[in-house]
Amino acid sequence: MQQMTSRERVQTAFAHREPDKPPRRAPGLAPALCQRLIAETGATDVAAFFRSDFRAIAYRPPDALPDFARYYQRVETPHYFEYGSEYQAEWGVATVPAGYYHFGGPLFPMRNLSSLAELDAYPFPDYVRDWGHDHFEAEVTRLHDQGYYVCGPVNRTFQTAWMLTGREKLFQDAAFNAPFVDALFERIYQVNERMAERCAQAGVDAIAFGDDIGMQDRLMISPEWYRTWIKPGHARLIAAARAVNPDIQVMFHSDGDIHQVITDLIEVGVTVLTTVQPESMDPLEIKRRYGAHLSLGGTFGVQSLLPFGTPDEIRAEVRRQAAVMGVGGGFFVSPANTCEPEVPVANVIALYDTIDALACDSSEKSIR
């Protein structure tokens, strides 16, 4: 088979046809592991080093955030605001250092809010109005010209809501102060719709968003709670993107066991699960049940195989998954989540180098 460009490879896989080799998405590396990668290999660009077929555009943050100080009055816990952190500074969520590697915890700016008037006064972000995105079209064109498949970012729904209020308060308010939760989600829905629409206008191949709704062995919320509060927001942001480009792919991430709502995700228009966490769901079973509707990735465990396996075991697992998950396309290679400091650099390299070996095997077969 003739070698494809990265974009052709991903497009073929996502169209449920078999490409020249499985596409690969760059791993997320914890800062300590990234530093080891640099020290051991000299690599400074993770996506380039691992030859990722995917690239992404990003909003440029404004020069200054709104003043969220009034929401942290009498808070004595040391905290800080950081763009690009797990906890969204632009929404007013502060990060509390945990003292262990890069980990931290959130402080909830709406923990004491309960009225619609308080919500109306809150400085919600407006990415399209206030953040930089005039570079989007040129960036997408540049990356397409280089042969890459381009993704555009959309904000989270459920995670944004609970990071603002705290999980317990969000669930309590849903039961006892539903108008507040309705209004909160409506504001989040509106932000996400505008982001999805803007990315589609820029010409990205896919929009990518996540909502961690799964725990290790079950959903974090009931399926009914998902359908009431979260699913409408997912449907609206996807519809906003598809109003611009009906063929745009929709990539969704959640850790854990989310099998109870996979059909709901398909219904709202998700076409790619970027994480099928193997410690929580069987990737082969998800492929069997949903492979006609979904492309699947994130099937290599960061709690099991990657930190504790050997390079040979990882190479064998890549070959095993490619032989089954890759049948009929709809499969790409990536870790299930961020690789933490316990993961050896050699293991991550083995994961990605094996893809090239698969391509060589395929070429040899076609010659024969």
Side-chain angles (χ1 to χ4, degrees), residues 280-348:
S280 299
M281 299 189 295
D282 180 357
L284 302 184
E285 175 65 13
I286 300 300
K287 171 78 173 183
R288 184 187 67 79
R289 293 181 63 182
Y290 305 108
H293 304 284
L294 295 171
S295 297
L296 306 171
T299 56
F300 296 90
V302 297
Q303 298 174 340
S304 51
L305 178 68
L306 287 169
F308 303 118
T310 65
D312 283 344
E313 289 171 335
I314 290 164
R315 284 187 278 267
E317 179 63 11
V318 173
R319 291 181 179 276
R320 185 184 78 86
Q321 287 198 25
V324 181
M325 300 284 292
V327 173
F331 172 66
F332 65 97
V333 173
S334 67
N337 206 317
T338 300
C339 295
E340 299 297 347
E342 296 83 1
V343 176
V345 169
N347 284 6
V348 188

Side-chain angles (χ1 to χ4, degrees), residues 168-182 225 229:
E168 293 84 354
K169 183 181 187 312
L170 182 67
F171 296 145
Q172 289 170 358
D173 284 346
F176 301 110
N177 191 7
F180 180 86
V181 177
D182 272 329
W225 209 96
W229 302 102

Side-chain angles (χ1 to χ4, degrees), residues 228-245:
T228 299
W229 302 102
I230 307 170
K231 185 177 179 179
H234 289 171
R236 283 172 57 172
L237 75 87
I238 294 169
R242 292 250 165 88
V244 178
N245 176 7

Side-chain angles (χ1 to χ4, degrees), residues 24-97:
R24 68 187 94 195
R25 196 178 188 203
L29 304 180
L33 180 55
C34 196
Q35 290 299 318
R36 291 213 315 272
L37 176 72
I38 294 170
E40 293 182 26
T41 68
T44 55
D45 184 328
V46 172
F49 180 80
F50 289 108
R51 304 175 297 289
S52 175
D53 293 303
F54 298 80
R55 292 295 187 274
I57 59 173
Y59 284 87
R60 288 195 300 261
D63 293 334
L65 288 172
D67 183 4
F68 294 105
R70 63 187 180 277
Y71 299 102
Y72 292 93
Q73 293 176 2
R74 295 182 293 278
V75 173
E76 298 180 359
T77 305
H79 59 275
Y80 61 91
F81 296 92
E82 181 181 13
Y83 287 126
S85 67
E86 173 67 17
Y87 308 112
Q88 299 162 288
E90 62 269 27
W91 289 81
V93 182
T95 296
V96 178

Side-chain angles (χ1 to χ4, degrees), residues 209 226 234-235 237-238 242 248-253 261-274 293-295:
F209 71 102
Y226 169 79
H234 289 171
L237 75 87
I238 294 169
R242 292 250 165 88
I248 199 167
Q249 295 279 349
V250 179
M251 303 172 67
F252 176 81
H253 158 83
V261 295
I262 289 178
T263 54
D264 295 276
L265 294 169
I266 293 169
E267 285 175 9
V268 298
V270 170
T271 55
V272 183
L273 289 185
T274 62
H293 304 284
L294 295 171
S295 297

Side-chain angles (χ1 to χ4, degrees), residues 150-161:
V150 183
C151 305
V154 180
N155 180 62
R156 300 170 288 196
T157 300
F158 174 59
Q159 283 180 269
T160 297

